[in-house]
Every structure is written in C-alpha cells, then in structure tokens.
Amino acid sequence: MSTIVFVHGVSTRTTPEYDIQKENRISLFKTAVFGDASIFLSPMWGDHVPQLLFDGASFRKSETLDLAIGDPTPQPAGDTIVLPAIAKGAPSSALDLLISERIRMVDNSKQPLSPEDLALFGRIVDLLDAETQNPSEATTAALRGLQKAVTDQEFVSEVNKLSDAPHHLGIVDMLTSAKDAIVDRAASLTAKGLHSTVVERLNPSVARFLGDVFLYLKEGKIREEIRTTVGDAIRTAWENRNGGKVIVIGHSLGGVILYDMLSDLKSADLPEDLKVDALITVGSQPGLFQELGLFASTASLPAKTAARGPDAASLWFNVFDPIDVFGFSAKPMFARAEDYSFNTITGLASAHSAYFTRPQFYARLRRRLVDAGVI
C-alpha cells in the first residue's frame, strides 16, 4: 500500500470548488496509478497566505489589453474536425484533450466524477500505457479507429467504444458535451484573438504566483506555518507507512516546498531517517530557483556545479510541459533529477493547471513508477 502526500501549487485556497477538484484528482490517481487502497494526504498550505489587500485590482487589465474583434461564432455540431485533426498525428493527444475537458466540466459543476467517468478514464490510461509497451492488436485497432474519425462526433463515437458500457447513453452525452465545449472554445479563440485570451488569463496567474513565491521565500511566520503544515503531512505518512511506500507529489510551488524541506530534514523538523520512495515535481520551479541561488542548502556551491538533489528521496521525477510558463527542467542543476517533458496539448494559459486531468500524464507516471519498482 502506498501513502501519497500531494502538495498543491500557488493560488490555491480551501473552497468548495477546490475540495471537489481535490477529491476528483485523488479518484483519478487511485483509478489510474495507485489503486483504491492507497492513502492520500493533501496539506493545505495556501490557507496561510493572506488575501490580497485590494482583491487583485493590480492585475485587472482586460479593459486596456483586450484587442479582440467580434464575438465567438457557434460551430455546426455535426461537421467540425477539431479532434480528428489532432488524432491524425497523435490520437493519444486528442484523447487527452477530450477527457480533460470532461473532467474540467465535472469540476466546474462541483460534482464528483461518476463511476462511468472513472471507468472510462482507467480504460484509456491502460490503452495509452499499452501503446508505449507491446501494443496488442486490440490496442492498435482502437488507436486506428480514433485516427480514422472524420468528424468530432465520429471521434466521440470511437472513444465511447473504449468504455465498459459502450451502449450507455450517459457516456455518449457527457463526451458530446465535452466535445462541444472544445469546438466552441476553438471558435472563440479564432474570433477573439490569441493575444487577448492569453493576456487576460496569464496576468492574474503570474501575479498570484509571484505573491505566493515571495511569501514562502521570505523568512518569517507565514513561511514557518507553510512548512509546518506540509511537514505534518509528510511526518504522518512516514510514521504510519507500515512497510508501504511513501510518495510525495508537488505541483508548482508545492514541488519547491517539497524539494526545500527534503534537502534539509533538520531545519524542516522532519525525522532524520526519512526516506521517501519518490519525489515527483510537476510544473515546478526547483531548477529555476537553484539557478538563482535561492536555496540555502546549496548556496555555497560554485557556479555551474550540479547539486545532488535531496538524499531523503530515493528518486526524483520532474515533469514539465514545454509551454508551461511556470514549469522548468531540473537538469543540469540537479544530478539525481530525471526530467520528463510532457506536452499537454493545451493553450499557453492552461498548460500549468492541465497535468492532472490528462490520461497521458497518469499513464506515463504509472509506467515510470512501475519500471522504478515503486509500485
């Protein structure tokens, strides 16, 4: 049995919306990677960060930066070809896009993922994992069917065949709704313009990112409260492991916090014999912060000298999307880190938050952990 400590990233606070996202993410991890018996701990360090004094007024720029022309043009439902165009060259990426949109819609509706959602997600992760190994005839045929789809609705029909209940009308409806949202968003992007869309969404994200980073790096009460909250979860996982595995996953600044604490167990008030089986940083910044010399544990290293990485982690996987503006490589700054580039096939503004809704992410992570003997 594995115990997983998931440390969230920037701009995350306890809200009903986040609680649903958290539970849905745990369900996906259990379904696709760790199994139902796994235990998840999710320390909420973001609650220690004070609210913005002017409610984010400094980054409300849409009135001055919006260069959009015209309104989104609704697309005919039956003859669009957004997903097939992607599937021709990368069927797995088209699958990612459709299923990720379905999860986003469920999260936004403040509902848990249904058994049908989780079953289909698990089947797709199995398919994508098999694709990278020795694909069977069934796997090859399924992927070929996706590539042969001519319209978006035909692509939905092919995905529906992957489910355990292909004649369940609810599955068709939920996939069709996700497909329609993707098509409408593509039309909106075309009509509104890339510049306006990206600027509107990135500007507050950058501001909140910088704010949380500054507060964590600054010595003082907030930093200590954050480290205490995360440290309590790590300590609980370690002390109650009962011979099982302990895996820590950090998204964005959560990865920085984990690296920082695992690199100096004493200052983090963690057990001196702590040894997690895997450190997984996703869309994170340890490599950047190391280049800037921001970690006290390695501040004395000469320029261009690689740090080992935390000895309290048996292995370290660092995952980033090339277009994620907040995700950075860990090599060559850390000798023991293993970088994995992962293309979420999403927009610039969405890349940082898209990892945990993508079947490919879970399939590749599971394969890495299996090959490393962690699960």
Side-chain angles (χ1 to χ4, degrees), residues 161-178:
K161 294 177 184 178
L162 303 176
S163 71
D164 290 319
H167 302 296
H168 194 300
L169 292 180
I171 297 176
V172 177
D173 289 343
M174 71 186 192
L175 293 176
T176 299
S177 295

Side-chain angles (χ1 to χ4, degrees), residues 146-220:
L146 297 173
Q147 288 181 303
K148 287 183 177 179
V150 177
T151 66
D152 286 303
Q153 195 58 49
E154 287 182 17
F155 184 87
V156 166
S157 297
E158 291 298 323
V159 174
N160 182 47
K161 294 177 184 178
L162 303 176
S163 71
D164 290 319
H167 302 296
H168 194 300
L169 292 180
I171 297 176
V172 177
D173 289 343
M174 71 186 192
L175 293 176
T176 299
S177 295
K179 176 266 296 182
D180 290 343
I182 292 169
V183 171
D184 288 346
R185 193 159 60 248
S188 176
L189 181 61
T190 301
K192 190 174 183 182
L194 178 63
H195 176 269
S196 174
T197 302
V198 169
V199 167
E200 278 187 36
R201 296 186 62 185
L202 269 186
N203 196 56
S205 298
V206 171
R208 293 191 180 100
F209 170 78
L210 292 174
D212 283 3
V213 167
F214 292 155
L215 285 169
Y216 176 72
L217 292 177
K218 181 181 178 181
E219 293 289 346

Side-chain angles (χ1 to χ4, degrees), residues 284-288 291 318 320 327-334 337 339:
S284 195
Q285 306 87 34
L288 172 66
E291 281 213 271
N318 181 62
F320 62 92
F328 296 85
S329 61
K331 289 278 192 179
M333 286 66 68
F334 299 103
D339 276 336

Side-chain angles (χ1 to χ4, degrees), residues 299-346:
S300 61
L301 287 176
K304 297 187 178 180
T305 300
R308 277 180 50 79
D311 290 328
S314 296
L315 58 85
W316 177 8
F317 294 153
N318 181 62
V319 184
F320 62 92
D321 186 328
I323 67 167
D324 176 5
V325 295
F326 301 124
F328 296 85
S329 61
K331 289 278 192 179
M333 286 66 68
F334 299 103
R336 296 179 59 241
E338 297 182 41
D339 276 336
Y340 292 102
S341 175
F342 173 70
N343 190 343
T344 58
I345 311 296
T346 188

